[in-house]
Amino acid sequence: MTPSTQNDAWNAGDSYEAFMGRWSRKVASRFLPWLGAGETLDWLEVGCGTGALSATILARCNPRSLIGIEQSAGFVATAQQNVTDARAAFQLGDGQALPLDDNSRDVVTSALVLNFIPDIPKALSEMRRVARPGGAVAFYVWDYPGGGLEFVRAFWRAATALDPNASGFAENTRFQFCTPHGLTELAQAAGLQAIECTALEVPTVFEDFENYWRPFTLGTGPAPGYCVSLADDARERLREKLHGDLPRREDGAIALRAKAWAIKAVAV
Ligand SMILES: C[S@@+](CC[C@H](N)C(=O)[O-])C[C@H]1O[C@@H](n2cnc3c(N)ncnc32)[C@H](O)[C@@H]1O
């Protein structure tokens, strides 16, 4: 663990759902029609978390089977609890050393994970290894460099204004490669073919400030991890700054947007 990764705490399924799961489900619904995979296929999801994309695959794509690999035991437990479909199996594992045979899955996918994996080329080469020739390898990450994950970008902007050290933890600083060019280059280096990239956008509407702020106080993910690491008075200053900074609609809601970059490619 490096200083910049020390807040990347992915453990508590309920906190993740409140912070990110509610939005990642919406992105999953945009991703799958674009991916356009067929029915009755064998899927693998790397870094399945609490099962947001897995549940969407099961609901929309009629898979023959779906394996979710995840490094957090807490998230595996939440995914098993949330997704009880008999076609799905969730297990502990590392995306850098997938516990699966070569050429064993038709669709290998990953949602909002790649930037958190220490050795990204290794993870992509593992995804390609387990995909059947002609199968699909596809993934998406938030548009961190472009500020496309607006609710998290607003958090870091306020945090950095109060504490310049916060910038070292911010995803927009750490994950500069999350652009169409950077992601395409990674896919090419992994030997993938017919690479396509698209933007996936969803609205993120928080009914009021508390609905925005509370998930940051639960500690799951880089920004919440940073938030709970602050002393009480520093956290209160951050809360007040965000309370003043964030734009409100007439009904009091905070209406922002979230954009991800998605890649789909063919394994050979
Ligand atoms: C932002 S969450 C995304 C979860 C889920 N895919 C979704 O769309 O909601 C990132 C996930 O990647 C997992 N992860 C990070 N590094 C991993 C690795 N090396 N192997 C497997 N999973 C990993 C984390 O534990 C976490 O569940």
Side-chain angles (χ1 to χ4, degrees):
M1 192 178 292
T2 65
S4 67
T5 62
Q6 74 190 30
N7 295 323
D8 293 1
W10 301 115
N11 296 307
D14 291 349
S15 309
Y16 179 78
E17 285 290 313
F19 176 59
M20 194 58 81
R22 56 177 160 164
W23 312 122
S24 76
R25 279 167 207 284
K26 288 184 187 290
V27 183
S29 294
R30 295 278 160 88
F31 170 66
L32 291 173
W34 176 72
L35 177 56
E39 299 202 6
T40 59
L41 298 175
D42 296 317
W43 289 66
L44 166 66
E45 186 191 350
V46 180
C48 60
T50 53
L53 174 60
S54 311
T56 316
I57 292 167
L58 289 159
R60 289 177 166 233
C61 302
N62 189 25
R64 178 165 46 216
S65 69
L66 167 66
I67 298 173
I69 299 291
E70 166 57 48
Q71 68 163 12
S72 154
F75 280 9
V76 170
T78 305
Q80 284 168 335
Q81 208 175 346
N82 288 349
V83 184
T84 54
D85 190 305
R87 296 169 295 177
F90 300 99
Q91 63 184 85
L92 260 184
D94 182 356
Q96 299 161 118
L98 291 170
L100 288 152
D101 292 338
D102 295 359
N103 307 331
S104 58
R105 312 303 294 171
D106 299 306
V107 187
V108 179
T109 188
S110 172
L112 310 174
V113 174
L114 219 54
N115 50 287
F116 293 113
I117 295 187
D119 189 342
I120 298 168
K122 178 70 179 147
L124 282 173
S125 95
E126 279 291 274
M127 290 171 75
R128 193 197 62 166
R129 177 182 67 75
V130 303
R132 294 188 173 120
V137 174
F139 57 88
Y140 50 96
V141 293
W142 292 121
D143 169 32
Y144 294 115
L149 185 56
E150 291 178 352
F151 75 96
V152 170
R153 186 72 196 97
F155 175 93
W156 288 120
R157 200 176 289 121
T160 303
L162 298 172
D163 166 18
N165 291 329
S167 132
F169 300 114
E171 292 97 327
N172 54 297
T173 308
R174 294 166 55 199
F175 306 136
Q176 290 289 321
F177 71 92
C178 293
T179 62
H181 178 70
L183 298 168
T184 301
E185 275 195 341
L186 280 167
Q188 281 168 341
L192 297 169
Q193 302 287 314
I195 300 162
E196 293 179 50
C197 181
T198 198
L200 306 170
E201 279 200 30
V202 295
T204 54
V205 180
F206 302 85
E207 63 201 30
D208 55 25
F209 181 75
E210 278 316 305
N211 186 251
Y212 171 90
W213 172 251
R214 192 173 169 276
F216 288 102
T217 67
L218 302 178
T220 299
Y226 171 81
C227 190
V228 300
S229 76
L230 294 173
D232 289 352
D233 56 343
R235 189 165 46 254
E236 186 51 28
R237 279 197 294 278
L238 176 55
R239 182 186 186 285
E240 280 171 15
K241 175 145 186 59
L242 276 162
H243 192 272
D245 286 355
L246 286 164
R248 307 290 201 287
R249 284 195 322 211
E250 267 182 20
D251 62 0
I254 298 166
L256 301 171
R257 299 191 62 78
K259 180 164 104 179
W261 293 116
I263 292 277
K264 65 178 173 182
V266 176
V268 287

